[in-house]
Amino acid sequence: MGLRTKLGVLIAGTAAVVSVVMGLLVHHRTVDAQYANARSQLGERLRTAVQDHAAGVDGDRTLIDPPDLPKPLAAAARDGRWGFYLERGAGTVPVLWAASAYRGDVVALRRPYQRESATVRDVDRVLWMAGGVGTALASAAGLLVATRFGRRLTANAGTAQRIAEGDLTARLPEGGKDEIGKLAAAVNTMADALAGRLQAEREVTSNIAHELRTPVAGMVTAAGLLPPGRPSELVQDSARRLGELVDDVIEVARLDAVSEEPELVERDLGELVRRTVAGVDPGVRVEVLRDAVVVTDPRRVERVLANLVSNALRHGAAPVTVQVDGGVVRVRDQGDGFPERLLSGGPQRFRTGQRDTGLGLGLTIVAGQVRVLGARVRFENPVGGGALAVLDLRGALAA
């Protein structure tokens, strides 16, 4: 049950409870008032009837020792007390009795109580109608208020989700001075601080990468001049990997900072995939179930596919297969699968890898290049084990 529904139910329930309580109070006050008024009138008449009986003159409505006098009232009268008794019979008109004793005789009066009962029923009917209308109006007002707050909260939650997914330009509307407005202002302040910190980190990372590019290039060149041998191979391999890492950091910084546009050309997807995979590792098997022609940026697609295949080879386990099915390319290995945080939060630089190792720049570049292409990529751990990366280029299919 959503917050909007809960607020609506709470307001409607509160209105119903208030209506019932007020109705009960008014009902009892009306019953007491009607009974007190009828008893007062009948009591005056009884006083006069007792005086007339003492004078030897009994009126037509005066009852002396009536046989149908209620027993509790008869007992009270014989004890010398004045008494009243409301007699309600099933299916009969209610009757109010009054009785008093005089020199061994019980003097009694009775009158129909139908008018008072009808008045109470009318009041109850009005109370039910007013309570129903009031509850309906309160429910409508509650739903309106709950809907207003619900829409604000839903919009804020959607924007907060965008911020959590990396869109640090998203901001919550700060209208209103209530708690929701204060929450929106706090989230916006947090997003501003986070964006500033990330931007500073990106600039530092980019500057360091650019500063390292020249000495790393010199290191690679110098390593190539070493005499042949195992130590030389180790130095050359380390220098090459360091150069690739610097290039990856620079590419990530460029994807973060620059709004790039793809250079669209028409390509056969099957052939593009075969050529890219062969350049990474000729031993990776490529299956073309359904070939397709796509209008895309081949260089960026090659970069995405190369990173996905390299990631599968480095962090997964053989065999690695690449499958082309229309505009969808699937890269699957038989390793331990992607870590849970990658599946839930997507690639994160410096902390992704199928075995929780590596710097995570390869998949971060994949996400950035896919965003530029206007395509989609998703990561799964399919049934049967392994890891599956799916590149969806169906939006780029040639007409």
Side-chain angles (χ1 to χ4, degrees):
M1 183 183 295
L3 180 60
R4 178 170 56 185
T5 304
K6 290 180 180 178
L7 285 175
V9 171
L10 177 62
I11 294 175
T14 302
V17 171
V18 170
S19 298
V20 170
V21 172
M22 293 297 296
L24 290 174
L25 290 175
V26 173
H27 170 81
H28 287 296
R29 290 296 299 271
T30 303
V31 169
D32 293 342
Q34 292 293 314
Y35 181 71
N37 184 57
R39 193 175 68 172
S40 175
Q41 294 177 4
L42 194 59
E44 291 295 332
R45 290 172 51 194
L46 179 63
R47 187 176 290 108
T48 302
V50 171
Q51 292 173 355
D52 291 344
H53 181 69
V57 180
D58 293 324
D60 295 338
R61 297 184 179 182
T62 302
L63 304 175
I64 306 300
D65 294 324
D68 55 345
L69 183 67
K71 292 181 180 180
L73 183 58
R78 291 191 180 95
D79 289 340
R81 294 176 291 161
W82 284 56
F84 298 90
Y85 188 86
L86 181 59
E87 185 178 36
R88 299 179 184 272
T92 61
V93 176
V95 176
L96 178 62
W97 289 83
S100 180
Y102 180 78
R103 293 183 178 181
D105 295 332
V106 176
V107 180
L109 291 175
R110 66 179 181 181
R111 54 157 292 193
Y113 201 74
Q114 185 176 13
R115 183 179 62 185
E116 288 77 8
S117 298
T119 300
V120 173
R121 287 195 299 270
D122 291 341
V123 170
D124 288 345
R125 188 181 302 109
V126 172
L127 289 175
W128 277 109
M129 293 176 60
V133 172
T135 301
L137 292 177
S139 300
L143 286 175
L144 289 176
V145 173
T147 299
R148 179 171 176 268
F149 280 104
R151 286 176 178 173
R152 290 177 63 188
L153 290 173
T154 300
N156 289 353
T159 306
Q161 183 63 34
R162 288 171 54 197
I163 295 174
E165 292 174 352
D167 184 5
L168 298 182
T169 62
R171 292 295 181 271
L172 304 181
E174 297 186 16
K177 298 182 180 180
D178 53 10
E179 287 77 4
I180 297 179
K182 293 179 181 178
L183 176 62
V187 172
N188 288 342
T189 301
M190 178 192 68
D192 290 336
L194 181 61
R197 180 174 299 179
L198 288 178
Q199 182 61 30
E201 292 179 356
R202 289 168 179 170
E203 290 177 357
V204 170
T205 303
S206 178
N207 291 336
I208 292 176
H210 281 89
E211 291 296 328
L212 287 175
R213 197 169 198 176
T214 299
V216 168
M219 185 184 303
V220 173
T221 301
L225 300 177
L226 294 174
R230 181 59 180 167
S232 175
E233 293 177 359
L234 293 176
V235 172
Q236 292 175 3
D237 184 63
S238 297
R240 178 182 56 78
R241 292 179 60 186
L242 182 58
E244 292 176 352
L245 175 60
V246 171
D247 290 339
D248 286 346
V249 172
I250 293 175
E251 183 172 358
V252 170
R254 187 178 68 251
L255 289 171
D256 286 337
V258 180
S259 178
E260 298 186 342
E261 294 293 334
E263 299 178 2
L264 302 179
V265 294
E266 190 173 288
R267 286 288 187 271
D268 181 88
L269 183 59
E271 179 60 30
L272 181 62
V273 171
R274 287 193 186 93
R275 185 175 64 250
T276 303
V277 173
V280 176
D281 188 339
V284 175
R285 185 161 56 94
V286 177
E287 300 176 355
V288 180
L289 303 181
R290 289 185 302 134
D291 206 350
V293 177
V294 293
V295 179
T296 186
D297 189 329
R299 180 183 64 83
R300 297 183 188 276
V301 173
E302 289 175 358
R303 179 64 162 151
V304 170
L305 292 174
N307 281 16
L308 292 178
V309 174
S310 298
N311 186 79
L313 292 170
R314 184 178 299 116
H315 300 290
V320 175
T321 59
V322 180
Q323 186 180 83
V324 179
D325 186 4
V328 177
V329 182
R330 301 180 181 90
V331 179
R332 181 170 182 176
D333 64 68
Q334 298 300 319
D336 296 331
F338 292 110
E340 184 61 33
R341 65 176 175 228
L342 186 144
L343 297 177
S344 59
Q348 300 177 28
R349 68 199 69 185
F350 306 120
R351 57 178 300 183
T352 53
Q354 283 167 256
R355 291 182 182 145
D356 223 13
T357 60
L359 299 180
L361 295 181
L363 296 184
T364 301
I365 291 173
V366 167
Q369 294 289 8
V370 166
R371 185 174 63 251
V372 174
L373 289 170
R376 290 183 296 177
V377 64
R378 68 178 186 272
F379 303 96
E380 305 173 2
N381 289 336
V383 178
L388 174 65
V390 180
L391 174 62
D392 190 345
L393 294 169
R394 286 177 293 182
L397 290 174

